[in-house]
Amino acid sequence: MNPNKKRLRRTMMFLNAQKPGLIKDPYIYKPDSIMLDLEDAVAENQKDAARFSLYHALKTINYRGCERVVRINGLDTPYWKEDIRCAVAGGCDAIRIPKTESAQDVKVVEAEVVQAEKDFGREEGSVLIMAAIESARGVMRALDICESSERLFGIALSGGDYTKDLQTHITGTGIELMGARQNMVIAARAAGVQCFDTVYTDLDDMDGFRQDVENIHLMGFDGKSIINPRQINIVHEIFTPKQKDIIFAEKVVREIDTKKAQGIGVFTVDGKMIDIAFYDGAKRTIELAKASGVYKGDL
Ligand SMILES: CC(C)(COP(=O)(O)OP(=O)(O)OC[C@H]1O[C@@H](n2cnc3c(N)ncnc32)[C@H](O)[C@@H]1OP(=O)(O)O)[C@@H](O)C(=O)NCCC(=O)NCCSC(=O)C[C@@](O)(CC(=O)O)C(=O)O
Ligand SMILES: [Mg+2]
């Protein structure tokens, strides 16, 4: 398995692949991933120019460990195959499929990625795939999409196009996204892949943004698509385990290990009932803390 499949992806920041001011140094803001966009951020008559710019950016810029995902154009356009070839030839880490509606959509993209890896001398399996779900049909098929390919590391909700399809609109409250969000997280967890929330487009409403991120964190998402560096700190703050939670998780892991050896199944830690059901969650907190660079312990 590609070791990057489960890497930390709290923030996945979109940027127009054609704009030199955006693509030259986004790593300075330290998002976990950048998503170089060839799709909706790029005007129809600029698709070739954007692809050209993307290729040279990938070839020449050192993004310093920041994951480089390329959002290709839709499978109903004449652009997507050439988008994949340029992205893979340039050295991208992953392809984001927009408007994914079925497992078959992922499979046809995978076939092109496999061919491009061969053609451009990339290691087999080095390019991962993620699928953006932007329609009611896609949401209803989320589990099939999650299970469509070994290369698929996750799915992402795209709220703008999804609410258009649902015949509603983005309100900022999240009510219109509740069903899709819950369905997608459940599907992703059932398949063992990651799940990412949609962008929050009102850059002047940072309180609304914080509330949105807190909600999706509680729902079980792994991270969020974002559009601007100003949104990074809030997402990282909410998605990085707090020291008090890390310390509690360490106690839970140590106590479960100790009590198990003593033949004790249920007990309390800091006044809270603990049994084996809490073990994986505590381990996950510690792994997330390690990946986020805030772990000081020795587990
Ligand atoms: C919104 C705005 C124009 C505001 O610009 P502003 O310049 O006013 O912002 P400022 O804050 O003043 O910038 C301060 C400094 O940060 C730099 N800076 C800003 N943004 C940066 C960035 N993204 N990456 C690196 N650098 C950045 C900037 O260059 C400046 O640098 P400097 O001059 O050196 O100080 C800008 O952010 C932007 O273009 N965002 C990305 C938009 C985009 O790609 N949309 C498509 C994807 S969504 C979609 O398609 C819908 C979806 O599909 C979604 C789904 O899938 O979920 C669905 O269906 O819902
Ligand atoms: Mg969209």
Side-chain angles (χ1 to χ4, degrees):
M1 186 178 74
N2 184 323
N4 289 325
K5 198 169 167 187
K6 292 200 181 288
R7 65 172 277 167
L8 184 70
R9 297 183 178 93
R10 297 163 300 183
T11 44
M12 305 192 77
M13 185 165 77
F14 272 117
L15 39 117
N16 182 334
Q18 197 195 354
K19 284 203 173 160
L22 300 185
I23 59 178
K24 70 181 193 317
D25 55 7
Y27 53 82
I28 60 174
Y29 304 111
K30 297 190 166 49
D32 293 324
S33 310
I34 53 166
M35 298 193 291
L36 298 142
D37 190 20
L38 296 171
E39 198 217 13
D40 285 354
V42 176
E44 194 69 22
N45 64 1
Q46 296 296 314
K47 296 293 186 189
D48 290 338
R51 211 184 288 120
F52 195 67
S53 151
L54 168 92
Y55 176 79
H56 285 279
L58 288 172
K59 273 285 184 203
T60 58
I61 298 169
N62 176 359
Y63 285 98
R64 303 177 197 200
C66 181
E67 182 182 41
R68 298 143 318 148
V69 179
V70 175
R71 180 165 75 166
I72 59 170
N73 284 284
L75 306 188
D76 57 347
T77 72
Y79 312 120
W80 67 277
K81 288 187 183 173
E82 198 54 26
D83 293 347
I84 290 174
R85 292 181 67 74
C86 279
V88 174
C92 76
D93 300 304
I95 297 290
R96 175 170 169 132
I97 312 171
K99 303 180 175 71
T100 315
E101 298 219 308
S102 66
Q104 185 59 20
D105 287 350
V106 178
K107 289 183 199 302
V108 295
V109 166
E110 182 175 38
E112 290 298 321
V113 169
V114 168
Q115 190 58 51
E117 280 178 347
K118 283 193 188 120
D119 291 349
F120 299 109
R122 299 281 309 269
E123 189 185 332
E124 189 185 337
S126 57
V127 180
L128 295 170
I129 294 175
M130 70 181 293
I133 292 184
E134 318 199 26
S135 66
R137 186 174 285 268
V139 170
M140 296 308 288
R141 292 178 172 165
L143 182 58
D144 280 353
I145 292 169
C146 288
E147 292 177 334
S148 58
S149 162
E150 254 306 300
R151 283 175 193 257
L152 186 119
F153 69 78
I155 54 172
L157 175 62
S158 289
D161 281 291
Y162 168 71
T163 49
K164 190 174 66 179
D165 193 43
L166 213 64
Q167 299 179 8
T168 177
H169 59 277
I170 296 286
T171 62
T173 64
I175 287 171
E176 66 285 357
L177 299 174
M178 276 167 57
R181 280 173 164 168
Q182 194 69 75
N183 194 60
M184 285 176 60
V185 172
I186 293 169
R189 290 289 168 259
V193 300
Q194 296 177 335
C195 194
F196 308 96
D197 189 45
T198 187
V199 297
Y200 192 88
T201 54
D202 189 347
L203 290 174
D204 292 332
D205 181 8
M206 293 313 268
D207 290 341
F209 180 67
R210 177 177 284 277
Q211 187 60 61
D212 194 54
V213 179
E214 276 171 357
N215 290 344
I216 60 120
H217 179 239
L218 288 175
M219 289 184 86
F221 280 89
D222 292 282
K224 189 167 175 72
S225 305
I226 59 167
I227 53 165
N228 187 280
R230 279 185 271 156
Q231 298 179 320
I232 294 173
N233 283 350
I234 289 178
V235 182
H236 285 191
E237 180 200 318
I238 292 168
F239 272 84
T240 302
K242 313 278 176 290
Q243 282 306 318
K244 71 171 181 22
D245 298 325
I246 299 168
I247 291 166
F248 183 71
E250 281 182 314
K251 282 187 196 171
V252 168
V253 170
R254 288 191 208 282
E255 281 297 292
I256 290 177
D257 285 342
T258 308
K259 293 282 193 300
K260 199 163 59 183
Q262 297 167 350
I264 300 170
V266 64
F267 49 89
T268 59
V269 172
D270 295 348
K272 297 182 185 67
M273 190 208 85
I274 297 297
D275 61 18
I276 191 69
F278 292 85
Y279 197 75
D280 287 351
K283 280 268 191 192
R284 187 167 181 278
T285 299
I286 292 166
E287 290 311 314
L288 202 52
K290 283 182 188 168
S292 309
V294 296
Y295 188 64
K296 301 184 185 116
D298 56 4
L299 275 180

